[in-house]
Amino acid sequence: MKQRIMMVGPTDVPERVLDAMHRPSISHRSPEYMETHQRVRDGLKKIFQTENEVYILTSSGTGAMEAAIQNCFSFGDEVVVAVMGDFSDQFARMAEAYQLKVRRVKFEAGERADVDTVMAQVTDATKGVFIIHNESSTGVFNDLKAFGDRLKDTNALLIADSVSGAAGLPVKMDEWNIDILLSSSQKALMTPAGLSFISLNKRAWDRVESSNIPKYYFDLRKARDFQEKNQTPNTPAVYTVFAVDEALKMIFEEGYDNVIRRHEENTQRLIAGVRELGYGILPKEDAGASRTLTAVTAKGKAKKIVAFLQSEGIIVNGGLGNLAEDMFRVGIMGHVYPEDVEAFLDTLAKFKE
Ligand SMILES: *Cc1c(COP(=O)(O)O)cnc(C)c1O
Protein backbone atom coordinates (compact mmCIF):
# COMPACT_ATOMS: atom_id res chain seq x y z
CA MET A 1 0.00 0.00 0.00
CA LYS A 2 1.32 3.45 -0.92
CA GLN A 3 1.73 5.58 2.17
CA ARG A 4 0.77 9.21 1.94
CA ILE A 5 2.39 11.26 4.65
CA MET A 6 0.21 14.29 5.27
CA MET A 7 1.60 15.28 8.61
CA VAL A 8 1.96 18.80 9.94
CA GLY A 9 5.64 18.26 10.73
CA PRO A 10 7.85 16.48 10.29
CA THR A 11 6.51 16.35 6.75
CA ASP A 12 7.03 13.96 3.86
CA VAL A 13 10.58 13.98 2.50
CA PRO A 14 10.72 13.55 -1.30
CA GLU A 15 12.90 10.80 -2.81
CA ARG A 16 15.19 13.41 -4.37
CA VAL A 17 15.85 14.95 -0.97
CA LEU A 18 16.50 11.55 0.60
CA ASP A 19 18.92 10.73 -2.23
CA ALA A 20 20.79 14.00 -1.72
CA MET A 21 21.75 12.80 1.77
CA HIS A 22 23.02 9.42 0.59
CA ARG A 23 26.64 10.41 0.13
CA PRO A 24 29.99 10.39 1.90
CA SER A 25 30.56 12.73 4.81
CA ILE A 26 32.36 16.03 4.21
CA SER A 27 34.01 18.49 6.57
CA HIS A 28 31.98 21.51 7.52
CA ARG A 29 35.12 23.58 6.86
CA SER A 30 35.64 22.25 3.31
CA PRO A 31 35.11 24.27 0.12
CA GLU A 32 32.39 21.82 -0.86
CA TYR A 33 30.46 22.57 2.32
CA MET A 34 30.94 26.29 1.84
CA GLU A 35 29.47 26.14 -1.67
CA THR A 36 26.44 24.31 -0.40
CA HIS A 37 26.06 26.73 2.51
CA GLN A 38 26.16 29.66 0.09
CA ARG A 39 23.40 28.17 -2.06
CA VAL A 40 21.21 27.39 0.93
CA ARG A 41 21.74 30.85 2.37
CA ASP A 42 20.79 32.47 -0.96
CA GLY A 43 17.77 30.20 -1.36
CA LEU A 44 16.50 30.94 2.12
CA LYS A 45 16.75 34.68 1.45
CA LYS A 46 14.36 34.13 -1.46
CA ILE A 47 11.98 32.15 0.73
CA PHE A 48 12.08 34.86 3.44
CA GLN A 49 11.93 37.53 0.68
CA THR A 50 14.65 39.53 2.34
CA GLU A 51 17.96 41.23 1.67
CA ASN A 52 18.97 40.45 5.26
CA GLU A 53 21.16 37.47 5.99
CA VAL A 54 19.50 34.22 7.00
CA TYR A 55 21.51 32.21 9.54
CA ILE A 56 21.46 28.43 9.65
CA LEU A 57 21.24 27.03 13.18
CA THR A 58 21.47 23.38 14.11
CA SER A 59 18.34 22.82 16.19
CA SER A 60 14.66 22.25 15.68
CA GLY A 61 12.45 25.30 15.21
CA THR A 62 12.26 25.96 18.93
CA GLY A 63 15.99 26.74 18.92
CA ALA A 64 15.47 29.68 16.57
CA MET A 65 12.64 30.95 18.80
CA GLU A 66 15.02 30.80 21.74
CA ALA A 67 17.80 32.51 19.74
CA ALA A 68 15.45 35.41 18.98
CA ILE A 69 14.79 35.96 22.66
CA GLN A 70 18.37 35.45 23.88
CA ASN A 71 19.91 37.78 21.32
CA CYS A 72 17.45 40.64 20.99
CA PHE A 73 16.06 41.12 24.50
CA SER A 74 17.15 41.88 28.04
CA PHE A 75 15.86 40.69 31.39
CA GLY A 76 12.69 42.50 32.36
CA ASP A 77 11.83 43.68 28.83
CA GLU A 78 8.10 44.08 28.29
CA VAL A 79 6.75 42.04 25.41
CA VAL A 80 3.33 41.18 24.01
CA VAL A 81 2.56 37.67 22.77
CA ALA A 82 -0.56 36.85 20.76
CA VAL A 83 -1.68 33.44 22.01
CA MET A 84 -3.93 31.44 19.69
CA GLY A 85 -2.75 27.93 20.42
CA ASP A 86 0.07 25.71 21.65
CA PHE A 87 2.95 27.13 19.65
CA SER A 88 2.16 30.74 20.50
CA ASP A 89 1.77 29.74 24.14
CA GLN A 90 5.20 28.12 23.98
CA PHE A 91 6.63 31.45 22.80
CA ALA A 92 5.06 33.17 25.83
CA ARG A 93 6.40 30.54 28.26
CA MET A 94 9.84 30.75 26.73
CA ALA A 95 9.90 34.55 27.08
CA GLU A 96 8.90 34.12 30.72
CA ALA A 97 11.68 31.59 31.23
CA TYR A 98 14.09 34.34 30.16
CA GLN A 99 12.44 36.69 32.65
CA LEU A 100 10.80 38.97 30.15
CA LYS A 101 7.56 40.60 31.30
CA VAL A 102 4.98 38.97 29.10
CA ARG A 103 1.52 40.26 28.28
CA ARG A 104 -0.48 37.47 26.71
CA VAL A 105 -3.29 38.49 24.38
CA LYS A 106 -5.47 35.40 24.15
CA PHE A 107 -7.67 34.31 21.31
CA GLU A 108 -10.01 31.37 21.08
CA ALA A 109 -8.96 28.24 19.22
CA GLY A 110 -9.66 28.94 15.55
CA GLU A 111 -9.43 32.73 15.82
CA ARG A 112 -6.72 34.79 14.17
CA ALA A 113 -4.78 37.30 16.23
CA ASP A 114 -6.80 40.48 15.81
CA VAL A 115 -4.45 43.37 15.12
CA ASP A 116 -6.38 46.03 17.04
CA THR A 117 -6.76 43.80 20.09
CA VAL A 118 -3.04 43.04 20.16
CA MET A 119 -2.03 46.65 19.49
CA ALA A 120 -4.21 47.84 22.37
CA GLN A 121 -1.67 46.14 24.68
CA VAL A 122 1.37 47.75 23.07
CA THR A 123 2.80 50.77 24.91
CA ASP A 124 5.98 52.86 24.52
CA ALA A 125 7.63 50.40 26.90
CA THR A 126 6.86 47.36 24.73
CA LYS A 127 10.08 45.95 23.30
CA GLY A 128 8.62 43.26 21.11
CA VAL A 129 5.46 41.67 19.76
CA PHE A 130 5.57 37.92 19.08
CA ILE A 131 3.30 36.58 16.38
CA ILE A 132 3.10 33.04 15.11
CA HIS A 133 2.66 33.25 11.35
CA ASN A 134 0.90 29.92 11.09
CA GLU A 135 -0.43 28.42 14.33
CA SER A 136 -0.01 24.72 13.64
CA SER A 137 -2.16 23.62 16.56
CA THR A 138 -5.31 25.34 15.26
CA GLY A 139 -4.70 25.71 11.52
CA VAL A 140 -4.92 29.50 11.47
CA PHE A 141 -2.51 31.99 9.92
CA ASN A 142 -2.00 35.60 10.91
CA ASP A 143 -1.73 38.74 8.83
CA LEU A 144 1.92 39.61 9.46
CA LYS A 145 1.79 42.56 7.09
CA ALA A 146 -0.90 44.21 9.18
CA PHE A 147 1.26 43.81 12.31
CA GLY A 148 4.34 45.12 10.51
CA ASP A 149 2.46 48.21 9.32
CA ARG A 150 1.43 49.03 12.86
CA LEU A 151 4.71 48.22 14.59
CA LYS A 152 7.33 49.62 12.25
CA ASP A 153 7.27 53.11 13.79
CA THR A 154 7.07 51.95 17.40
CA ASN A 155 9.77 50.77 19.82
CA ALA A 156 8.54 47.21 19.54
CA LEU A 157 10.18 44.64 17.28
CA LEU A 158 7.94 42.28 15.30
CA ILE A 159 9.11 38.70 15.87
CA ALA A 160 7.45 36.23 13.53
CA ASP A 161 7.62 32.44 13.80
CA SER A 162 7.01 31.10 10.32
CA VAL A 163 8.13 27.56 11.13
CA SER A 164 5.04 26.04 9.52
CA GLY A 165 4.53 28.88 7.04
CA ALA A 166 7.64 29.74 5.03
CA ALA A 167 7.78 27.96 1.64
CA GLY A 168 4.05 27.19 1.79
CA LEU A 169 2.56 30.53 2.78
CA PRO A 170 4.04 33.74 1.38
CA VAL A 171 6.14 35.67 3.88
CA LYS A 172 7.79 38.93 2.89
CA MET A 173 10.23 39.92 5.59
CA ASP A 174 11.35 43.24 4.10
CA GLU A 175 8.10 44.44 2.54
CA TRP A 176 6.08 43.56 5.65
CA ASN A 177 8.56 45.11 8.11
CA ILE A 178 9.25 41.92 10.03
CA ASP A 179 12.22 42.52 12.33
CA ILE A 180 12.99 38.91 13.21
CA LEU A 181 11.80 36.01 11.08
CA LEU A 182 12.45 32.35 11.84
CA SER A 183 11.61 28.95 10.42
CA SER A 184 12.89 25.38 10.34
CA SER A 185 13.64 22.49 8.01
CA GLN A 186 10.98 19.87 8.73
CA LYS A 187 7.77 21.63 7.69
CA ALA A 188 7.06 23.19 4.28
CA LEU A 189 10.74 22.79 3.39
CA MET A 190 10.14 19.02 3.26
CA THR A 191 13.45 17.97 4.80
CA PRO A 192 14.24 16.13 8.01
CA ALA A 193 14.36 18.05 11.28
CA GLY A 194 17.72 19.38 12.37
CA LEU A 195 18.01 22.94 11.12
CA SER A 196 16.34 26.19 11.99
CA PHE A 197 16.72 29.52 10.21
CA ILE A 198 16.66 33.04 11.54
CA SER A 199 17.01 36.48 10.02
CA LEU A 200 17.33 39.86 11.73
CA ASN A 201 16.97 43.31 10.17
CA LYS A 202 18.93 46.36 11.26
CA ARG A 203 16.46 47.28 13.99
CA ALA A 204 16.84 43.82 15.51
CA TRP A 205 20.65 43.84 15.23
CA ASP A 206 20.72 47.17 17.10
CA ARG A 207 19.01 45.38 19.99
CA VAL A 208 21.65 42.67 20.01
CA GLU A 209 24.19 45.27 21.13
CA SER A 210 22.31 46.05 24.34
CA SER A 211 20.95 42.58 25.16
CA ASN A 212 22.08 41.31 28.57
CA ILE A 213 20.72 37.74 28.39
CA PRO A 214 23.54 35.15 28.41
CA LYS A 215 23.99 33.14 25.21
CA TYR A 216 26.65 30.91 23.84
CA TYR A 217 25.48 28.22 21.39
CA PHE A 218 22.92 30.55 19.83
CA ASP A 219 25.06 33.71 19.92
CA LEU A 220 24.05 35.23 16.59
CA ARG A 221 27.10 37.52 16.51
CA LYS A 222 29.20 34.38 16.05
CA ALA A 223 26.82 33.12 13.37
CA ARG A 224 27.20 36.47 11.62
CA ASP A 225 31.01 36.25 11.66
CA PHE A 226 31.08 32.68 10.35
CA GLN A 227 28.46 33.39 7.69
CA GLU A 228 31.03 35.59 5.97
CA LYS A 229 33.02 32.45 5.15
CA ASN A 230 29.88 30.39 4.49
CA GLN A 231 30.32 28.45 7.67
CA THR A 232 28.70 28.09 11.07
CA PRO A 233 30.47 28.43 14.46
CA ASN A 234 30.01 24.74 15.35
CA THR A 235 29.39 21.57 13.36
CA PRO A 236 26.05 22.00 11.61
CA ALA A 237 23.71 19.14 10.70
CA VAL A 238 25.58 18.82 7.40
CA TYR A 239 23.25 16.16 6.02
CA THR A 240 20.24 18.31 6.66
CA VAL A 241 22.03 21.15 4.85
CA PHE A 242 22.38 18.78 1.85
CA ALA A 243 18.69 18.02 2.16
CA VAL A 244 17.61 21.66 2.32
CA ASP A 245 19.84 22.42 -0.66
CA GLU A 246 18.01 19.80 -2.73
CA ALA A 247 14.58 20.85 -1.47
CA LEU A 248 15.27 24.46 -2.41
CA LYS A 249 16.32 23.31 -5.89
CA MET A 250 13.00 21.49 -6.20
CA ILE A 251 11.08 24.57 -5.06
CA PHE A 252 12.80 26.87 -7.54
CA GLU A 253 12.49 24.33 -10.37
CA GLU A 254 8.74 24.15 -9.79
CA GLY A 255 8.77 27.94 -9.35
CA TYR A 256 8.24 29.60 -5.98
CA ASP A 257 4.96 31.17 -7.07
CA ASN A 258 3.72 27.82 -8.37
CA VAL A 259 4.56 26.18 -5.05
CA ILE A 260 2.59 28.83 -3.20
CA ARG A 261 -0.32 28.43 -5.64
CA ARG A 262 -0.29 24.63 -5.18
CA HIS A 263 -0.62 25.08 -1.41
CA GLU A 264 -3.49 27.52 -1.94
CA GLU A 265 -5.32 25.25 -4.38
CA ASN A 266 -4.79 22.14 -2.27
CA THR A 267 -6.18 23.99 0.73
CA GLN A 268 -9.29 25.19 -1.10
CA ARG A 269 -9.97 21.70 -2.47
CA LEU A 270 -9.44 20.09 0.90
CA ILE A 271 -11.71 22.51 2.73
CA ALA A 272 -14.47 22.19 0.09
CA GLY A 273 -14.07 18.40 0.13
CA VAL A 274 -14.37 17.93 3.88
CA ARG A 275 -17.41 20.20 3.92
CA GLU A 276 -19.06 18.12 1.19
CA LEU A 277 -18.54 15.13 3.46
CA GLY A 278 -20.26 16.90 6.35
CA TYR A 279 -17.22 17.98 8.33
CA GLY A 280 -16.10 21.49 9.21
CA ILE A 281 -12.89 23.37 9.85
CA LEU A 282 -11.68 24.91 13.10
CA PRO A 283 -10.71 28.38 11.76
CA LYS A 284 -13.53 30.86 12.35
CA GLU A 285 -13.02 32.58 9.01
CA ASP A 286 -11.91 30.94 5.78
CA ALA A 287 -9.62 33.88 5.03
CA GLY A 288 -7.54 32.96 8.06
CA ALA A 289 -7.45 29.23 7.39
CA SER A 290 -3.88 27.97 7.11
CA ARG A 291 -2.63 27.09 3.61
CA THR A 292 -0.14 24.56 4.94
CA LEU A 293 -2.41 22.44 7.11
CA THR A 294 -6.14 22.11 7.60
CA ALA A 295 -7.69 21.61 11.02
CA VAL A 296 -10.78 19.49 10.33
CA THR A 297 -13.51 19.31 12.97
CA ALA A 298 -15.26 15.98 13.60
CA LYS A 299 -16.96 16.10 16.96
CA GLY A 300 -16.14 13.07 19.08
CA LYS A 301 -14.81 11.16 16.05
CA ALA A 302 -11.42 12.69 15.37
CA LYS A 303 -9.28 9.98 16.99
CA LYS A 304 -11.19 7.21 15.20
CA ILE A 305 -10.79 8.99 11.88
CA VAL A 306 -7.04 9.43 12.36
CA ALA A 307 -6.72 5.69 13.12
CA PHE A 308 -8.91 4.74 10.13
CA LEU A 309 -6.92 6.94 7.75
CA GLN A 310 -3.72 5.40 9.05
CA SER A 311 -5.04 1.89 8.42
CA GLU A 312 -5.64 3.02 4.82
CA GLY A 313 -2.11 4.41 4.48
CA ILE A 314 -2.86 8.09 5.03
CA ILE A 315 -0.95 9.60 7.90
CA VAL A 316 -2.39 12.76 9.45
CA ASN A 317 -2.12 14.27 12.94
CA GLY A 318 -4.63 14.41 15.73
CA GLY A 319 -5.69 17.53 17.58
CA LEU A 320 -3.60 18.65 20.54
CA GLY A 321 -4.77 18.78 24.15
CA ASN A 322 -8.48 19.23 24.69
CA LEU A 323 -9.10 19.30 20.93
CA ALA A 324 -7.98 15.67 20.49
CA GLU A 325 -11.47 14.12 20.30
CA ASP A 326 -12.99 16.76 18.07
CA MET A 327 -10.36 17.83 15.58
CA PHE A 328 -7.57 16.43 13.43
CA ARG A 329 -4.95 18.12 11.31
CA VAL A 330 -4.03 17.36 7.72
CA GLY A 331 -0.69 18.64 6.50
CA ILE A 332 -0.46 19.83 2.92
CA MET A 333 3.03 21.21 3.37
CA GLY A 334 5.78 20.70 0.88
CA HIS A 335 5.59 17.40 -0.96
CA VAL A 336 1.79 17.12 -1.14
CA TYR A 337 0.01 17.21 -4.50
CA PRO A 338 -3.60 17.30 -5.68
CA GLU A 339 -3.68 13.48 -6.02
CA ASP A 340 -2.81 13.20 -2.31
CA VAL A 341 -5.65 15.54 -1.40
CA GLU A 342 -8.06 13.49 -3.57
CA ALA A 343 -6.84 10.24 -1.99
CA PHE A 344 -7.36 11.74 1.47
CA LEU A 345 -10.91 12.83 0.60
CA ASP A 346 -11.79 9.50 -1.02
CA THR A 347 -10.58 7.67 2.07
CA LEU A 348 -12.34 10.01 4.48
CA ALA A 349 -15.55 9.36 2.53
CA LYS A 350 -15.19 5.65 3.36
CA PHE A 351 -15.04 6.27 7.12
CA LYS A 352 -18.04 4.80 8.95
CA GLU A 353 -18.43 4.87 12.68
C1 LIG B 1 6.72 22.95 14.49
C2 LIG B 1 6.62 24.34 15.00
C3 LIG B 1 7.60 24.93 15.83
C4 LIG B 1 8.87 24.28 16.24
O1 LIG B 1 8.82 23.01 16.68
P1 LIG B 1 10.14 22.13 16.73
O2 LIG B 1 9.62 20.81 17.14
O3 LIG B 1 11.05 22.75 17.73
O4 LIG B 1 10.74 22.19 15.37
C5 LIG B 1 7.44 26.24 16.19
N1 LIG B 1 6.39 26.94 15.81
C6 LIG B 1 5.44 26.43 15.03
C7 LIG B 1 4.31 27.29 14.60
C8 LIG B 1 5.52 25.11 14.59
O5 LIG B 1 4.58 24.61 13.80
Side-chain angles (χ1 to χ4, degrees), residues 60-62 65 87 132 134 136 161 163-164 184 186-187:
S60 75
T62 309
M65 295 165 81
F87 289 99
I132 301 281
N134 188 73
S136 315
D161 163 344
V163 170
S164 63
S184 76
Q186 81 281 18
K187 304 273 170 91

Side-chain angles (χ1 to χ4, degrees), residues 8-10 59-63 65 87-88 90-91 132-137 161-165 182 184-187 193-196 293 329 333:
V8 301
S59 72
S60 75
T62 309
M65 295 165 81
F87 289 99
S88 30
Q90 173 175 263
F91 230 162
I132 301 281
H133 186 199
N134 188 73
E135 176 48 85
S136 315
S137 67
D161 163 344
S162 191
V163 170
S164 63
L182 60 97
S184 76
S185 56
Q186 81 281 18
K187 304 273 170 91
L195 294 178
S196 65
L293 68 110
R329 297 168 301 151
M333 271 178 250

Side-chain angles (χ1 to χ4, degrees), residues 24-78:
S25 193
I26 59 167
S27 163
H28 60 293
R29 305 290 180 220
S30 65
E32 196 184 352
Y33 175 78
M34 294 190 281
E35 271 173 38
T36 313
H37 186 105
Q38 170 90 59
R39 268 197 309 277
V40 170
R41 159 186 180 188
D42 291 343
L44 290 170
K45 284 170 74 165
K46 289 188 196 149
I47 301 290
F48 279 18
Q49 302 195 41
T50 185
E51 294 298 318
N52 302 311
E53 277 304 327
V54 182
Y55 302 98
I56 302 169
L57 309 177
T58 290
S59 72
S60 75
T62 309
M65 295 165 81
E66 189 140 349
I69 293 173
Q70 288 177 332
N71 284 272
C72 300
F73 292 89
S74 292
F75 295 121
D77 276 356
E78 289 185 28

